């Protein structure tokens, strides 16, 4: 197994710094941040190596978060090019797909088109895998499919949770469905699904979790999805009564009475800004208004890929944590192993 933080390879490229997360639409994968917070692209380029231990905490509550509103096409291309940690091999709308031609030219790929092979989900930071070789992209997609069928994890996420799981390690299994509610697509758990439910789109989902560190009523958790479903990891952690920090969609499903947490009905609980305990907000050195804009602390940290040539050793690709994620760990006294 080779660990590859940054190296020339040929055929595909991996983007290791994604500061706002990615929003997937119909045929579109786009960089996305919430309005009202973030920093400029030039700041991102100065903050390469965000996994390093930072010094005293500054005044910026979410350092390293990309503000798309002040970014040009050329600026986004610069950010994406600077974000490459490994290499092998709609007009008018600023999206990742829309700037792939410019990114291809900027990376010296000439007439070879880039395509998205693997990316983290909505609002999630981390690795994005792009390919300029159709054969390589096809081989990797087959590898992903075979790995899922074999229940072999290939992706590892880091998450900070509001709450600490009851056990330090375990598996999460849940049947999930996607419902369109009030103009928003939401993931709903399904108890005791029938055969008809599965025929109508309900899917069994599985994840493995491991608690890396605990402190201040929060936890740093490694998550490995064994299936692919929208917002799977966020919903799985809600089912553990430990929503991901910055989850402003599903965290409202966890209620608290006299210090005891319980699940509220998913069907009748509307998304709302995550409500954090006052002591936790102070520990994070945020104002209540800033805590309502807290970015999702879910990061695609590691991908396991096969060697691209016969007899070539498998690769482990790593993406450093975004600066705002590292700042949160420092505030909470959580250490990444």
């Amino acid at each position: 197994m080779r660990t590859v933080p940054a190296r020339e390879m040929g055929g595909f490229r991996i983007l290791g710094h994604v500061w706002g997360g990615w929003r997937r639409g119909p045929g579109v994968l786009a960089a996305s941040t919430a309005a009202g917070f973030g920093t400029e692209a030039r700041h991102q380029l100065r903050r390469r190596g965000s996994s390093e231990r930072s010094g005293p905490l500054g005044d910026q509550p979410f350092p390293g978060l990309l503000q798309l509103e002040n970014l040009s096409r050329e600026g986004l291309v610069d950010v994406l090019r600077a974000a490459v940690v490994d290499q092998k091999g709609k007009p008018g709308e600023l999206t990742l797909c829309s700037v792939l031609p410019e990114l291809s030219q900027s990376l010296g790929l000439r007439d070879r088109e880039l395509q998205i092979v693997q990316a983290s989900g909505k609002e999630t930071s981390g690795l994005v895998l792009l390919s300029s070789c159709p054969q390589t992209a096809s081989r990797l997609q087959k590898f992903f499919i075979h790995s899922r069928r074999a229940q072999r994890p290939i992706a590892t996420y880091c998450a900070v949770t509001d709450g600490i799981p009851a056990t330090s390690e375990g598996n999460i299994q849940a049947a999930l469905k996607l419902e369109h509610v009030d103009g928003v697509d939401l993931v709903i758990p399904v108890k005791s699904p029938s055969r008809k439910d599965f025929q109508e789109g309900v899917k069994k989902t599985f994840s493995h979790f491991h608690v890396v560190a605990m402190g201040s009523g929060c936890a740093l958790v490694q998550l490995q999805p064994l299936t692919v479903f929208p917002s799977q990891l966020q919903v799985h952690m809600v089912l553990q009564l430990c929503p991901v920090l910055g989850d402003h969609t599903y965290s409202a499903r966890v209620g608290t009475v006299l210090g005891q947490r319980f699940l509220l009905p998913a069907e009748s609980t509307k998304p709302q800004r995550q409500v954090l305990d006052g002591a936790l907000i102070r520990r994070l050195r945020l104002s209540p208004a800033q805590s309502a804009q807290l970015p999702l602390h879910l990061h695609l940290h590691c991908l396991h890929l096969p060697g691209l040539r016969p007899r070539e050793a498998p690769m482990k690709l790593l993406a450093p944590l975004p600066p705002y994620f590292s700042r949160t760990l420092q505030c909470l006294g959580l250490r990444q192993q």
Side-chain angles (χ1 to χ4, degrees):
M1 176 71 69
R2 294 173 292 150
T3 301
V4 186
R7 191 164 64 81
E8 182 93 8
M9 296 166 71
F12 66 83
R13 293 173 184 259
I14 298 92
L15 305 182
H17 297 254
V18 184
W19 295 283
W22 299 102
R23 182 179 67 251
R24 187 187 301 271
V28 172
L29 192 69
S32 166
T33 59
F37 61 88
T39 53
E40 294 180 331
R42 65 177 69 94
H43 177 71
Q44 313 299 348
L45 299 177
R46 289 200 303 267
R47 289 300 302 267
R48 296 290 303 276
S50 58
S51 61
E52 295 179 1
R53 213 56 170 154
S54 59
L57 298 174
D59 296 331
Q60 172 58 254
F62 311 126
L65 202 60
L66 190 63
Q67 186 172 348
L68 217 59
E69 292 82 357
N70 298 331
L71 196 62
S72 66
R73 293 178 67 90
E74 294 77 11
L76 180 56
V77 170
D78 288 341
V79 169
L80 294 174
R81 184 178 64 247
V84 174
V85 298
D86 199 8
Q87 174 184 344
K88 270 205 172 198
K90 299 175 181 176
E93 185 179 11
L94 188 60
T95 69
L96 175 60
C97 287
S98 73
V99 299
L100 286 183
E102 290 98 320
L103 182 60
S104 297
Q105 293 180 5
S106 179
L107 294 173
L109 298 178
R110 299 183 181 179
D111 297 331
R112 290 180 292 170
E113 294 184 0
L114 282 171
Q115 58 182 300
I116 299 167
V117 179
Q118 176 82 2
S120 49
K122 181 181 179 181
E123 299 180 4
T124 304
S125 62
L127 288 162
V128 175
L129 186 60
L130 305 176
S131 175
S132 59
C133 173
Q135 292 80 10
T136 298
S138 176
R139 183 182 175 193
L140 288 173
Q141 292 290 5
K142 290 178 181 178
F143 169 76
F144 296 148
I145 292 172
H146 292 159
S147 297
R148 287 196 292 268
R149 289 175 178 172
Q151 296 282 285
R152 184 172 62 246
I154 59 172
T156 300
Y157 290 75
C158 292
V160 178
T161 61
D162 175 22
I164 300 172
T167 60
S168 61
E169 190 168 3
N171 296 309
I172 306 170
Q173 175 179 343
L176 303 178
K177 66 178 179 179
L178 199 60
E179 281 194 359
H180 197 69
V181 181
D182 295 333
V184 180
D185 288 329
L186 294 176
V187 178
I188 307 292
V190 180
K191 295 182 179 180
S192 304
S194 64
R195 179 178 298 180
K196 182 180 179 182
D197 289 329
F198 289 116
Q199 292 173 347
E200 294 178 349
V202 174
K203 183 177 178 181
K204 290 183 179 179
T205 60
F206 304 88
S207 299
H208 178 79
F209 73 90
H210 170 68
V211 177
V212 176
M214 298 177 290
S216 305
C218 296
L220 173 61
V221 183
Q222 284 185 346
L223 294 166
Q224 293 181 315
L226 300 176
T227 51
V228 177
F229 199 86
S231 304
Q232 173 179 315
L233 295 179
Q234 290 169 249
V235 175
H236 279 188
M237 293 315 297
V238 164
L239 295 176
Q240 299 297 301
L241 302 178
C242 300
V244 177
L245 203 62
D247 182 354
H248 303 295
T249 302
Y250 299 103
S251 61
R253 296 177 182 179
V254 178
T256 305
V257 173
L258 300 177
Q260 297 298 313
R261 295 190 173 194
F262 61 94
L263 286 176
L264 294 168
E267 295 82 359
S268 59
T269 304
K270 294 184 178 181
Q272 65 179 38
R273 291 291 178 183
Q274 188 174 35
V275 178
L276 300 177
D277 179 79
L280 177 56
I281 294 176
R282 291 190 294 273
R283 188 67 186 263
L284 292 172
R285 303 187 187 184
L286 301 174
S287 68
Q290 289 172 334
S291 71
Q293 299 294 329
L294 195 69
L296 184 69
H297 282 56
L298 183 61
H299 177 76
L300 178 49
H301 175 61
C302 174
L303 275 176
H304 291 268
L305 298 178
L308 296 186
R309 299 180 182 89
R311 301 180 183 177
E312 191 173 61
M315 296 174 291
K316 183 169 73 171
L317 302 165
L318 302 175
L321 296 174
Y324 65 83
F325 200 120
S326 298
R327 179 190 184 277
T328 295
L329 295 183
Q330 188 175 354
C331 288
L332 298 177
L334 301 174
R335 289 198 169 202
Q336 184 186 24
Q337 296 178 356

